[in-house]
Amino acid sequence: MSSVALERRWRIGQFVLFDGQPGVVRFVGAAKFSKGEWIGVELDEALGKNNGCVQGVSYFQCEPLHGIFCRACRLQPDVRRAQRRLSRTMSQVQEELDTDIATEEPC
């Protein structure tokens, strides 16, 4: 998979599952520790191997043992988590609209 295709599929901030463990994409691209394209993921739990730093190079920052680097084939989109976030965001927008309408002065 080309670098452009990889970056289109996996975006920084995207919710993913790494071997079934939830996390967020924090890095996409080439790394100095090994050839090829890598995805850096911040896992929700301390099940990783690093803090986003490998061999003295910082690719992203997270809590110790929450970072992992993997090939794209090890990831799946976390659709449920993304949907929950979208649902919460839409609820917040509706609340803000309702507040704006309630406090709007008549013409």
Side-chain angles (χ1 to χ4, degrees):
M1 182 178 292
S2 74
S3 178
V4 173
L6 182 68
E7 289 178 21
R8 270 191 230 143
R9 175 139 189 224
W10 304 110
R11 298 176 320 279
I12 304 248
Q14 184 177 1
F15 295 114
V16 294
L17 296 172
F18 168 76
D19 290 345
Q21 296 299 318
V24 180
V25 173
R26 298 295 185 205
F27 173 85
V28 178
K32 293 184 178 183
F33 57 82
S34 185
K35 292 182 181 180
E37 300 292 333
W38 292 90
I39 313 295
V41 177
E42 178 181 1
L43 298 172
D44 289 2
E45 296 184 30
L47 300 170
K49 295 184 176 184
N50 57 59
N51 64 352
C53 181
V54 177
Q55 297 176 354
V57 179
S58 181
Y59 297 94
F60 64 95
Q61 294 180 342
C62 66
E63 294 295 318
L65 300 177
H66 283 254
I68 192 83
F69 285 86
C70 65
R71 302 292 188 179
C73 62
R74 300 280 302 272
L75 296 177
Q76 295 178 329
D78 189 346
V79 177
R80 288 183 189 177
R81 190 168 169 188
Q83 287 173 335
R84 284 193 307 265
R85 182 174 186 189
L86 180 60
S87 177
R88 281 196 307 269
T89 302
M90 293 302 292
S91 295
Q92 291 169 342
V93 168
Q94 186 61 50
E95 286 176 20
E96 289 174 14
L97 287 173
D98 291 345
T99 301
D100 288 346
I101 292 170
T103 59
E104 193 173 278
E105 294 182 22
C107 296

